[in-house]
Amino acid sequence: MTQLNPPERLLMGPGPSNVHPRVYGALAAPIVGHLDPVFLDVMEQSKALLRDTFETKNELTIPISGTGSAGMETCFVNVLEPGDRVVIGVNGVFGNRMCDVAERCGAQVERVEAAWGEAIDPAQFEVALESGAQTKLVAVVQAETSTGVLQPLEAIGALAREHGALFLVDAVTSLGGVSVGVDTHGIDLCYSGTQKCLGCPPGLSPVTLSESAVSALQSRKSKVQSWYLDLGMIAQYWGETRVYHHTAPISMNYALREALLLIHEEGLESRWNRHRTHQQALLAGLQTLGLEPVVQEPSLRLPPLTTVRVPDQVDEAAVRKQLLTEFDIEIGGGLGVFQGNAWRIGLMGHTSSPKNLMTFLAALEICLRATGLDASGGLAQAHKVLDAE
Ligand SMILES: *Cc1c(COP(=O)(O)O)cnc(C)c1O
């Protein structure tokens, strides 16, 4: 063994994404105690910056120790009790995972499905909400990283409210890349992850809970099944009393604060526009190279993650391998029904730049031509889109 020396990859898969130098700098800062006044300041600043990023005034807005899935589990285990009815949208991997988590809470899970690559029709939520018993929770993934679909939230949120159900949204790949609008969409529980559009390493999962969600937590009949993710106790450490629950991951919290500060400096609107423009440029390039988007409807395409179909004669895994070994570029393969026939190309957070998307298109063109495909002109088309901005 020798000292670790990982390569500098261009991370254009479904996450993690590249980390800004200032965030790396924060990770290397000296550790202080988890009750040190300096760290308490970091916590307060992160809470404020997270509220801005989630577009909410929710008091209980904190990073959970753990990756995005810890945020998912936190939201479900804290409000669900055995026997509760939940309606969950499923059109990809992460909707499925939410069902699994809810079932483990003893909930009665009603799935509302759409084909992979399509958004879920709110009318199906209405049918599910109007049949059967009172629904405790309606859950949906805003940015399905397995398919590249951006799920519209407005109508589903309104239906949840009408039927007296809490509204839960997975914003792991949307937060910091597209508007989540926690307060405007009436979202009661929302979670994200640091390694997608927030531009941090993986390791923390920001969550936010509305007053209704906090009341549901406080009026539970049974203890939260997870000790580690019990928000009743975690909120005390992140609140005024600072009661020790578990040692906060100090360095990751420094990193998150720095990443959120970068978002604040850029401005949310500019950041969303950056993600949208760069996706449009990327897609223009990809289409010129002969690759078609999986998501048909342009308004449902997720700006931070583009899915395209791989032409039949191309070995998708071989191209990904060449991109990685020859050009240090990582992209993602398809999952589920898209395994072997689609690529997932991320432009998330710090990764979303003209330099990165142009580098990728140049490398991809070489890989595609090596398979015998007559692929060319992608860079010029992408540049036209960038130029028009
Ligand atoms: C990545 C992701 C998760 C899980 O996050 P981890 O950090 O891998 O635990 C959950 N939901 C969505 C939509 C994701 O993209």
Side-chain angles (χ1 to χ4, degrees):
M1 276 182 235
T2 54
Q3 189 181 15
L4 184 66
N5 186 24
E8 291 224 19
R9 308 270 205 220
L10 174 50
L11 297 175
M12 289 184 59
S17 61
N18 289 109
V19 170
H20 192 284
R22 266 173 58 186
V23 176
Y24 279 132
L27 279 166
I31 301 294
V32 296
H34 69 107
L35 292 171
D36 190 296
V38 170
F39 190 68
L40 300 185
D41 276 348
V42 168
M43 292 165 76
E44 288 308 297
Q45 291 163 1
S46 286
K47 278 161 46 179
L49 290 164
L50 271 179
R51 284 189 197 106
D52 289 349
T53 313
F54 272 119
E55 303 163 76
T56 185
K57 297 202 162 49
N58 286 342
E59 177 67 26
L60 186 50
T61 303
I62 57 173
I64 295 297
S65 307
T67 65
S69 304
M72 181 189 289
E73 193 139 12
T74 298
C75 289
F76 282 98
V77 297
N78 278 279
V79 295
L80 290 186
E81 293 189 79
D84 282 345
R85 184 173 194 264
V86 297
V87 173
I88 301 179
V90 181
N91 57 347
V93 166
F94 295 103
N96 260 326
R97 186 176 293 183
M98 291 200 298
C99 294
D100 190 1
V101 172
E103 276 161 12
R104 287 164 195 251
C105 300
Q108 180 206 330
V109 176
E110 184 87 30
R111 296 162 69 101
V112 168
E113 306 198 48
W116 286 41
E118 283 169 28
I120 306 168
D121 182 356
Q124 283 179 260
F125 278 94
E126 191 163 21
V127 172
L129 282 162
E130 275 167 14
S131 70
Q134 170 66 33
T135 301
K136 176 81 166 278
L137 183 73
V138 170
V140 74
V141 178
Q142 184 185 19
E144 234 324 330
T145 322
S146 60
T147 65
V149 168
L150 178 64
Q151 174 70 46
L153 299 176
E154 238 143 63
I156 301 171
L159 282 165
R161 209 157 39 253
E162 257 171 57
H163 290 83
L166 294 168
F167 185 35
L168 185 161
V169 171
D170 176 318
V172 175
T173 294
S174 41
L175 191 70
V178 299
S179 172
V180 178
V182 165
D183 288 357
T184 50
H185 289 128
I187 299 170
D188 294 298
L189 300 110
C190 190
Y191 59 89
S192 189
T194 43
Q195 80 273 28
K196 313 244 173 142
C197 296
L198 297 180
C200 260
L204 290 177
S205 176
V207 300
T208 186
L209 275 78
S210 72
E211 275 175 29
S212 308
V214 172
S215 311
L217 167 60
Q218 286 167 344
S219 57
R220 291 179 65 95
K221 291 183 214 71
S222 55
K223 269 190 172 181
V224 173
Q225 76 185 47
S226 166
W227 180 88
Y228 195 71
L229 302 176
D230 185 330
L231 277 173
M233 292 189 284
I234 296 170
Q236 287 191 42
Y237 171 59
W238 282 85
E240 269 158 34
T241 55
R242 306 290 177 193
V243 179
Y244 164 70
H245 177 252
H246 65 272
T247 310
I250 304 293
S251 304
M252 269 308 298
N253 275 285
Y254 290 164
L256 175 61
R257 177 195 166 282
E258 199 63 29
L260 294 170
L261 186 58
L262 282 161
I263 294 176
H264 178 75
E265 287 168 7
E266 180 175 7
L268 283 175
E269 295 273 351
S270 321
R271 195 172 175 96
W272 302 331
N273 287 338
R274 169 162 68 85
H275 281 82
R276 196 180 315 114
T277 305
H278 294 162
Q279 182 196 39
Q280 283 165 0
L282 173 71
L283 197 53
L286 291 168
Q287 286 183 290
T288 309
L289 295 177
L291 305 175
E292 286 310 312
V294 165
V295 183
Q296 296 299 314
E297 168 54 40
S299 67
L300 299 179
R301 289 178 193 148
L302 185 57
L305 187 94
T306 303
T307 42
V308 285
R309 297 198 178 275
V310 178
D312 287 342
Q313 66 268 44
V314 174
D315 177 346
E316 77 83 19
V319 170
R320 275 191 292 124
K321 189 171 172 200
Q322 190 184 356
L323 284 168
L324 191 71
T325 52
E326 200 172 322
F327 301 103
D328 272 323
I329 299 174
E330 176 181 275
I331 64 167
L335 294 178
V337 300
F338 296 124
Q339 186 160 11
N341 60 51
W343 283 316
R344 295 182 298 150
I345 305 159
L347 283 173
M348 300 181 185
H350 183 51
T351 307
S352 177
S353 71
K355 172 184 144 189
N356 290 341
L357 75 93
M358 296 298 262
T359 303
F360 165 70
L361 285 170
L364 182 65
E365 183 178 313
I366 288 170
C367 298
L368 289 176
R369 292 181 77 88
T371 71
L373 224 63
D374 180 24
S376 65
L379 285 169
Q381 284 306 316
H383 187 248
K384 264 190 197 166
V385 175
L386 293 173
D387 229 22
E389 276 305 303

